């Protein structure tokens, strides 16, 4: 049931965002980063650049951004690496490192991820 809720949340986010809300993984605004995640999910965008950006969002301060990124990564890659967006930062760090290691192993020709 959770994936359906996440998909619905991403669709809602896209539908409710006005023209002033950009979709930007590099934005300081959690809403703009969440919109970028929602668009990636909607477009099944599994390009190395997008996957790297999603992995970086797993360390976002905003739990909603982390949740959207985690579910989008799982949907795009079939992997989860036991990442829990609601876990304590210390516990999330190990899973984020597993994601980074996976990315570097599978996308060595696009090493644009912070280690």
């Amino acid at each position: 049931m959770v994936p359906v809720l996440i998909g619905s949340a991403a669709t809602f986010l896209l539908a409710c965002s006005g023209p002033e809300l950009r979709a930007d993984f590099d934005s300081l605004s959690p809403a703009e980063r969440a919109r970028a995640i929602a668009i990636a999910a909607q477009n099944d965008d599994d390009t190395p650049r997008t996957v790297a950006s999603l992995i970086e969002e797993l360390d976002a301060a905003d739990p909603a951004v982390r949740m959207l990124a985690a579910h989008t990564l799982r949907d795009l890659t079939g992997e989860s690496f036991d990442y829990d967006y609601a876990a304590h930062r210390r516990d999330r760090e190990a899973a984020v490192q597993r994601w980074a290691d996976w990315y570097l192993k599978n996308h060595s020709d696009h090493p644009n991820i912070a280690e």
Side-chain angles (χ1 to χ4, degrees), residues 40-96:
Q42 183 180 44
N43 295 334
D44 292 324
D45 184 356
D46 62 353
T47 60
R49 181 176 180 176
T50 297
V51 171
S53 294
L54 290 167
I55 291 170
E56 290 174 2
E57 292 300 342
L58 295 176
D59 200 31
D62 188 304
V65 171
R66 294 193 308 261
M67 178 186 69
L68 286 172
H71 287 284
T72 300
L73 279 166
R74 188 192 64 225
D75 290 347
L76 292 175
T77 68
E79 302 288 351
S80 74
F81 298 108
D82 297 321
Y83 177 85
D84 178 2
Y85 75 92
H88 187 276
R89 181 183 178 107
R90 171 184 60 235
D91 297 325
R92 291 192 322 262
E93 286 175 350
V96 171

Side-chain angles (χ1 to χ4, degrees), residues 6-17 21-25 30-45 50 54 57 64-65 67-69 72 75-76:
I6 299 304
S8 297
T11 301
F12 177 77
L13 180 63
L14 288 173
C16 292
S17 59
L21 187 62
R22 299 176 309 141
D24 185 357
F25 282 113
E32 290 181 354
R33 293 194 327 271
R35 188 165 199 281
I37 294 167
I39 289 171
Q42 183 180 44
N43 295 334
D44 292 324
D45 184 356
T50 297
L54 290 167
E57 292 300 342
V65 171
M67 178 186 69
L68 286 172
T72 300
D75 290 347
L76 292 175

